[in-house]
Amino acid sequence: MYLADSRAGTPESAAPSAESAARPRAGRRLAAVGPTVLALGTVSLITDVSSEMVTAVLPLYVVAGLGLSPLGFGLLDGIYNGFSALVRLAGGHLADRGGGRHKWVAGAGYALSALCKPLLLMARTLTPIGLVLAADRTGKGLRTAPRDALISLSSSPETRGRAFGVHRAMDTAGALLGPFVAFLILRATVDGYDAVFMVSFCVAVLGVLVLVLFVPGGTAARPAPEAGSAAVAARPAPEAGSAAGTAPRPTLRAALALLRRPELRGITLCALLLGLATVSDSFVFLLLQHRLGVPDRWFALLPVGTAASFLLLAVPLGRLADRWGRRRVFLAGHGALLLAYALLLTSWHGSALPFAVLFLHGGFYAATDGVLMAAASDGVPEELRSSGLALVQTGQALARFVCSLAFGAAWTAWGDRTALMAATVALALCALFFMIRSPVRPALAKDGLA
Amino acid sequence: MTLRTRILVLLSALAVLAGVATASVLHASARAERRDQAQRGGPRIAAGPVSLTATRRLVFRNMAWGPHRDELTSVPASDPAGPRTASGVKCLRFYAASGTGVCLQAVHGPVQDTYRAVILDASLHVRDHYDVPGIPSRARVSPSGRYAAWTAFVGGDSYAGTNFSTRAAIVDTRTGKLTSSLEAYRIVKDGRTYRSADVNFWGVTFTADDRGFYATMATHGTTYLVRGDLAARTVTTVHTDVECPSLSPDGTRVAYKKRVEGLPKDAPWHLYVLDLRTGHETALAEPRSVDDQVVWRDDRTLVYALPGDYGADLWTLPSDGTGRPRRISTAAVSPAYVG
């Protein structure tokens, strides 16, 4: 609500930016990326610094700090995948019940993760550490859908791809900074894990504060680009549900009924099928090492390569999605992944190969992660935005989980090369299917899937 | 709330949080200084030459606070609690035999620590070094000093990722030929070739003839004792529920830690000795959970580390299931009997 009142008076100049001045194209009267998106991006950046600090030192803490054996640590991962899917759906649904809840549900998720950091100091054995990590991930599951809903609600349909791109780029920047901060602290201390967790906690609290202070509550923050007026933007939140007249009430049944909408069903199916052929990151890095003989010393840096490419490409590809069509870019992203697989399958072992594969892998994320949310947003009414996005995310996450199980089994049975070949063929078939099924049309303001 | 108020609230919160964060870092770095001071009542340590061929010495990583913390130190084998001679060489894990040492150490990089395995000669000079892909865990040298092996924990690179794996490497110190992961070996399980993506190896121990080794292999939730053949590059399962095996000097038995049902998940191991000829398992008289690859002092006596006030202490125990554990040295880990 905070920003809504300040915005109401000056809708046109609410967020003047070089962007809007430089690109005075048809109907782009509002800044491409609103302050809410920037605020949410800042929250994600700060939170990712905090969480990646912990992630980076946790193995070292468990083995060297506590002297525990970390094997069997991930035993609960499989069970937890199912649970986190439920949490995500619940978070999406809760956020939709009554206007203005997105912010508070997301805030609860951020706060829960923040509280986990000092708890890590007290957990001295594996079971409590596992529980704290599970709580941390529950917070992440809870906040993801409401946060993405807030991003989509505070950006106009024509610029949503860019808004998500900016957010994902900021998020990734935080993820890259976190480990760096953590190791600086470890360097300045001896066994300074307590300091790492404490600093991580302070950083996380800062993230929650930025959310509370600078992200407007409710759907009221919407710049209402269709109307081009601030009147709608300032409408009271409680009426948000009825404002659309025929809009569905945010019940659980309504959330599930979303799947009857052809646009959302289309994009969910697309994400699901393509997700079924998307090999998980750790396998990609392992394959890189197996096939190309990346030295062990560099192995830990492979995810950094993907993240850097994601960071670089998120905004340009988000903008491209706005202009060229989100489905096109989403499919093209999978094309990049296909190319990466193909490179892994070739017998060419040039020194540029790891860079090319990681660049394509990051490009895949840049073209699919935020872009999918932007595309899905257009198929879901505002009142059910969180639930709808949660559905798509959950579908995709479960599909990828199934794929990683299947890929692991295929690797065992046939070896890495054949398994990757199978994934490549499956991915190509899925991508082809969607290209034929719904021929790509030019971007229309009304049709986000175009 | 106006924008001004919100910014003020944020700035004041920022000041408080920055204060807390700074205080915690300062507190932790003050601890660093404390650890550079020798503790009163701790072992006497003086810098001096440490040789891997000196007669009847025990060499280990010194964990006592002070200037020689984490350095390889040596004591007379007959008086392990006596004055220590510190070498200046820092290791996280260490083992030695016949004048060859393997030292797993951290390399402090600009962004993060990496690890390497260093092959040492009898006077602790570096002969060779190899990258280690994760946090060092176990180290061994074959009785002849020709082969060295190490294990590292690898993992934890995704968001809140909790899946760890281990990787065991073997190097021929004479030729420099490195097998960076035992996963490259063919696995023979129950008489047939076995393949699985989830296979992990750890805890290598070598036979005296330089042709084979024993190690732990885990797959689908079960741990196996495997016998490895260095020439054929195969491993064959010989027993289940064996972790971190250590072959006796006479080559007839393996001491190991066994996951015992009913123990807490964080301390699940008891020490056992397996007779390789009869397959008979003997429970040892150590009631505590031990997470170490034990060392044979001779054919009847074992030495291992347990958590202590300064990281770890060394304990000894008969290998036949009799007697009681006895502490032989404090603030020490990774022991190796030399000479």
Side-chain angles (χ1 to χ4, degrees):
Chain A
M1 206 63 72
Y2 300 114
L3 283 189
D5 43 24
S6 61
R7 264 174 161 292
T10 53
E12 308 291 351
S13 59
S17 72
E19 210 64 75
S20 54
R23 310 189 65 241
R25 295 227 266 127
R28 187 167 277 108
R29 281 165 300 177
L30 281 164
V33 174
T36 305
V37 173
L38 289 179
L40 283 168
T42 310
V43 173
S44 290
L45 190 153
I46 295 172
T47 305
D48 263 45
V49 168
S50 159
S51 61
E52 290 302 318
M53 279 176 74
V54 171
T55 306
V57 304
L58 201 67
L60 204 58
Y61 174 63
V62 168
V63 178
L66 296 178
L68 299 173
S69 164
L71 284 179
F73 210 41
L75 281 184
L76 284 173
D77 275 12
I79 305 159
Y80 193 76
N81 266 309
F83 180 59
S84 78
L86 283 180
V87 168
R88 206 188 308 235
L89 290 174
H93 175 64
L94 280 177
D96 279 338
R97 293 175 60 123
R101 287 215 195 169
H102 294 87
K103 175 182 173 179
W104 301 114
V105 174
Y110 281 112
L112 178 60
S113 293
L115 287 177
C116 287
K117 271 75 193 190
L119 284 182
L120 271 179
L121 280 175
M122 281 171 249
R124 314 284 305 174
T125 52
L126 283 186
T127 312
I129 291 175
L131 288 175
V132 172
L133 289 183
D136 189 14
R137 284 160 68 177
T138 303
K140 188 179 166 64
L142 207 56
R143 71 191 178 229
T144 308
R147 182 204 59 208
D148 282 351
L150 274 174
I151 295 172
S152 80
L153 291 173
S154 55
S155 53
S156 63
E158 312 85 74
T159 60
R160 228 164 243 161
R162 180 196 314 218
F164 275 103
V166 168
H167 175 267
R168 295 304 196 259
M170 293 177 81
D171 188 277
T172 310
L176 282 171
L177 273 174
F180 186 69
V181 175
F183 281 101
L184 278 185
I185 295 174
L186 282 190
R187 188 61 35 77
T189 60
V190 166
D191 294 344
Y193 305 103
D194 50 346
V196 172
F197 297 150
M198 210 53 213
V199 172
S200 164
F201 171 64
C202 292
V203 172
V205 170
L206 187 69
V208 175
L209 266 177
V210 172
L211 177 92
V212 170
L213 290 172
F214 294 99
V215 173
T219 52
R222 184 126 198 251
E226 292 96 337
S229 132
V232 189
R235 81 188 167 203
E239 286 164 38
S242 54
T246 55
R249 290 208 358 264
T251 59
L252 264 180
R253 190 187 302 174
L256 284 177
L258 279 174
L259 286 179
R260 259 184 255 135
R261 292 170 173 261
E263 315 100 83
L264 189 70
R265 197 174 53 217
I267 199 81
T268 311
L269 202 68
C270 187
L272 212 95
L273 270 180
L274 287 169
L276 277 175
T278 304
V279 174
S280 83
D281 293 4
S282 44
F283 280 125
V284 171
F285 300 138
L286 268 180
L287 279 164
L288 250 182
Q289 196 181 29
H290 270 223
R291 303 219 65 83
L292 305 175
V294 174
D296 281 336
R297 196 166 11 139
W298 299 115
F299 188 72
L301 288 179
L302 296 181
V304 177
T306 295
S309 156
F310 186 7
L311 171 67
L312 265 166
L313 295 173
V315 179
L317 289 182
R319 291 178 60 170
L320 185 68
D322 287 337
R323 266 179 293 168
W324 194 47
R326 282 164 200 148
R327 181 183 288 248
R328 268 186 187 167
V329 171
F330 185 71
L331 282 174
H334 286 84
L337 188 62
L338 264 176
L339 206 56
Y341 289 176
L343 282 180
L344 283 171
L345 284 169
T346 57
S347 47
W348 176 51
H349 282 200
S351 56
L353 198 45
F355 294 97
V357 169
L358 292 178
F359 182 76
L360 287 168
H361 194 231
F364 158 70
Y365 276 109
T368 54
D369 193 58
V371 171
L372 176 66
M373 288 299 105
S377 295
D378 299 317
V380 188
E382 277 180 35
E383 292 74 22
L384 290 168
R385 189 61 54 82
S386 258
S387 315
L389 295 187
L391 266 180
V392 179
Q393 287 167 352
T394 307
Q396 188 184 39
L398 289 182
R400 285 186 179 169
F401 178 58
V402 169
C403 174
S404 73
L405 289 184
F407 191 78
W411 183 317
T412 304
W414 306 324
D416 57 352
R417 199 183 170 87
T418 317
L420 184 63
M421 198 91 85
T424 308
V425 170
L427 184 61
L429 284 179
C430 289
L432 205 67
F433 172 71
F434 284 106
M435 252 150 72
I436 294 166
R437 202 185 70 113
S438 40
V440 177
R441 287 158 293 170
L444 297 168
K446 263 181 69 187
D447 186 0
L449 299 179
Chain B
M1 241 196 285
T2 64
L3 185 66
R4 207 186 132 87
T5 324
R6 278 181 274 143
I7 289 176
L8 276 177
V9 170
L10 185 73
L11 287 180
S12 7
L14 191 63
V16 174
L17 291 171
V20 173
T22 311
S24 71
V25 173
L26 287 179
H27 174 76
S29 64
R31 186 173 50 215
E33 282 157 30
R34 274 203 309 282
R35 291 198 185 174
D36 285 339
Q37 312 285 321
Q39 289 290 108
R40 249 195 278 169
R44 271 186 297 138
I45 309 166
V50 170
S51 162
L52 298 181
T53 43
T55 38
R56 292 317 284 172
R57 304 279 294 181
L58 179 62
V59 182
F60 52 77
R61 169 186 166 196
N62 166 50
M63 297 189 88
W65 292 5
H68 300 293
R69 196 163 52 93
D70 298 334
E71 289 179 14
L72 292 181
T73 53
S74 85
V75 292
S78 53
D79 181 21
R84 299 178 180 181
T85 308
S87 64
V89 178
K90 290 196 177 200
C91 302
L92 296 166
R93 290 284 188 270
F94 168 78
Y95 194 73
S98 300
T100 303
V102 60
C103 160
L104 308 183
Q105 52 187 206
V107 183
H108 301 302
V111 181
Q112 70 178 86
D113 286 358
T114 53
Y115 302 94
R116 62 179 192 172
V118 178
I119 306 298
L120 302 171
D121 67 13
S123 38
L124 303 188
H125 291 128
V126 176
R127 278 174 50 194
D128 230 330
H129 57 81
Y130 303 90
D131 288 342
V132 175
I135 305 160
S137 160
R138 309 289 173 215
R140 273 297 189 267
V141 174
S142 68
S144 73
R146 174 169 176 184
Y147 290 96
W150 54 87
T151 309
F153 287 116
V154 184
D157 46 27
S158 60
Y159 182 90
T162 52
N163 268 316
F164 288 86
S165 58
T166 59
R167 227 173 292 163
I170 292 182
V171 70
D172 182 340
T173 65
R174 209 173 290 167
T175 62
K177 186 179 182 313
L178 173 78
T179 300
S180 61
S181 171
L182 279 183
E183 285 158 55
Y185 276 41
R186 190 167 69 88
I187 302 164
V188 181
K189 179 166 161 276
D190 309 322
R192 270 194 281 172
T193 297
Y194 177 80
R195 257 196 303 262
S196 175
D198 80 337
V199 166
N200 279 312
F201 288 94
W202 65 89
V204 173
T205 181
F206 291 98
T207 57
D209 58 7
D210 273 343
R211 293 163 67 171
F213 61 89
Y214 288 87
T216 300
M217 177 183 93
T219 178
H220 289 101
T222 308
T223 59
Y224 298 87
L225 176 69
V226 293
R227 191 180 53 239
D229 186 322
L230 289 166
R233 293 173 71 81
T234 58
V235 289
T236 310
T237 57
V238 288
H239 204 83
T240 54
D241 279 335
V242 172
E243 292 183 60
C244 295
S246 176
L247 193 62
S248 62
D250 62 13
T252 59
R253 287 153 298 155
V254 153
Y256 62 100
K257 54 179 200 170
K258 177 179 179 172
R259 206 173 272 269
V260 178
E261 263 184 61
L263 290 183
K265 242 173 78 185
D266 303 309
W269 297 289
H270 276 174
L271 288 182
Y272 278 74
V273 166
L274 171 75
D275 190 314
L276 292 167
R277 295 160 301 187
T278 63
H280 182 73
E281 293 178 16
T282 308
L284 301 189
E286 170 59 84
R288 293 163 291 185
S289 176
V290 175
D291 183 12
D292 195 13
Q293 186 174 21
V294 303
V295 165
W296 293 77
R297 182 189 170 154
D298 50 50
D299 278 323
R300 292 173 311 280
T301 322
L302 302 174
V303 175
Y304 52 93
L306 274 172
D309 292 341
Y310 302 103
D313 298 335
L314 294 181
W315 294 73
T316 187
L317 189 69
S319 65
D320 58 3
T322 64
R324 277 172 54 188
R326 190 167 54 83
R327 182 162 62 191
I328 55 169
S329 192
T330 58
V333 76
S334 283
Y337 285 93
V338 300

